């Protein structure tokens, strides 16, 4: 219970820090203006309805400059997600670095949600569109998996190799479910969201344990493979001889 209270305190502290550090600024570079304008438009309408000319006008940049910066609306979205990744990775995590992996990941993902807070309506719009647009859902999943690889790294959890990719995919799906709770969580302390994330990480931890067991099975089978006697009196694996 004390550990969970500490996590909540840490998450609330990150909320105060993140609200002082917006991810994008309309007074910044043309690239930042485009991202900010796109997110404002996305909060008001579906991504399929947003056109390049509309983005350029909202950002106050010429259409050729928009083309110079981004090739598509998904590219603008990917740039925003990357900026959120950088904000999370740049956060001070020293207060949880001695905690177990699950606790560190909880803190990392809560920080991500706090950074996303100004764009909650845009996130809700994306989730709504993804439910009706399978190609968009696949594109968003690819972005989410790549992003969650960095979140795993921030929490000190390996995201390399096939097992790491499975972890990132599982975490992307898990986080997507938590986002649906977060969108409707009006509590300033995000109590419902934290409870949903805690439950989801618990289920994910059990799955990860099962995955580790499954990944060890091939090694066990290698040790149990039958061997046959060679002509010189030694033994060799039947699989190697096949």
């Amino acid at each position: 219970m004390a550990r969970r209270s500490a996590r909540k305190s840490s998450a609330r502290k990150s909320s105060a820090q993140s609200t002082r550090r917006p991810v994008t600024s309309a007074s910044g570079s043309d690239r930042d203006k485009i991202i900010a304008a796109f997110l404002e438009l996305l909060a008001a309408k579906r991504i399929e309805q947003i056109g390049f000319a509309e983005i350029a006008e909202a950002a106050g940049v010429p259409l050729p400059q928009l083309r110079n910066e981004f090739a598509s609306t998904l590219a603008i979205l990917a740039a925003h997600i990357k900026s959120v990744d950088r904000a999370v990775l740049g956060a001070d995590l020293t207060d949880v670095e001695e905690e177990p992996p699950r606790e560190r990941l909880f803190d990392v993902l809560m920080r991500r949600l706090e950074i996303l807070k100004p764009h909650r309506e845009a996130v809700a719009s994306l989730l709504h569109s993804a439910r009706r647009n399978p190609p968009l859902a696949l594109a968003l999943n690819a972005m989410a998996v790549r992003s969650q690889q960095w979140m795993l790294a921030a929490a000190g959890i390996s995201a390399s190799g096939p097992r790491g990719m499975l972890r990132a995919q599982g975490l992307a799906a898990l986080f997507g479910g938590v986002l649906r709770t977060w969108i409707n969580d009006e509590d300033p302390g995000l109590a419902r969201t934290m409870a949903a994330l805690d439950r989801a990480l618990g289920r994910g931890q059990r799955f990860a344990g099962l995955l580790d067991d499954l990944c060890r099975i091939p090694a066990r089978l290698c040790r149990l493979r039958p061997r046959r006697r060679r002509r010189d009196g030694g033994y060799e694996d039947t699989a190697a001889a096949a």
Side-chain angles (χ1 to χ4, degrees):
M1 182 65 69
R3 181 176 297 170
R4 184 167 299 177
S5 298
R7 287 188 303 177
K8 292 181 179 179
S9 175
S10 175
R12 292 189 181 114
K13 181 174 68 175
S14 69
S15 173
Q17 292 172 342
S18 64
T19 53
R20 293 195 296 268
R21 293 181 304 182
V23 176
T24 60
S25 172
S27 61
S29 66
D30 285 347
R31 191 176 183 85
D32 288 341
K33 292 177 184 178
I34 292 167
I35 295 172
F38 171 73
L39 291 172
E40 289 178 5
L41 290 168
L42 184 59
K45 59 176 63 180
R46 298 195 305 272
I47 189 171
E48 302 93 328
Q49 298 174 324
I50 301 174
F52 294 125
E54 188 177 16
I55 298 171
E57 181 180 1
V61 302
L63 196 56
Q65 180 61 20
L66 172 60
R67 179 62 182 88
N68 185 58
E69 296 289 347
F70 297 105
S72 66
T73 53
L74 285 179
I76 302 175
L77 178 62
H80 167 63
I81 292 174
K82 185 177 180 179
S83 70
V84 174
D85 292 345
R86 288 197 303 265
V88 177
L89 295 171
D92 182 8
L93 296 172
T94 55
D95 56 336
V96 295
E97 61 184 6
E98 299 300 325
E99 296 289 338
R102 176 176 165 179
E103 310 297 325
R104 297 197 302 269
L105 189 56
F106 177 95
D107 194 79
V108 165
L109 295 179
M110 284 304 302
R111 289 172 191 264
R112 186 175 190 87
L113 288 173
E114 291 298 341
I115 291 168
L116 285 171
K117 188 174 182 179
H119 311 296
R120 195 190 309 224
E121 292 181 357
V123 174
S125 175
L126 271 177
L127 292 178
H128 180 75
S129 292
R131 287 197 294 269
R132 301 183 176 188
N133 187 334
L136 174 63
L138 289 173
L140 294 178
N141 179 71
M143 294 182 196
V145 171
R146 183 164 56 246
S147 181
Q148 293 303 336
Q149 284 182 288
W150 287 104
M151 297 303 97
L152 287 166
I157 301 171
S158 174
S160 61
R163 190 180 302 178
M165 284 298 297
L166 283 173
R167 282 184 183 139
Q169 178 62 76
L171 188 57
L174 178 156
F175 191 66
V178 173
L179 283 176
R180 292 179 176 83
T181 300
W182 170 75
I183 286 169
N184 299 306
D185 190 354
E186 299 300 331
D187 179 7
L190 296 177
R192 287 177 54 205
T193 301
M194 287 194 289
L197 179 58
D198 194 52
R199 290 193 300 270
L201 287 176
R203 293 192 299 270
Q205 188 176 34
R206 290 192 293 273
F207 170 77
L210 175 62
L211 176 63
D212 289 342
D213 288 341
L214 291 175
C215 288
R216 284 194 290 266
I217 288 175
R220 293 171 183 165
L221 290 177
C222 288
R223 291 195 296 270
L224 295 174
R225 282 184 306 193
R227 297 183 300 170
R228 67 187 184 191
R229 186 183 296 273
R230 295 199 308 259
R231 292 179 180 177
D232 60 4
Y235 288 90
E236 63 183 0
D237 288 338
T238 56

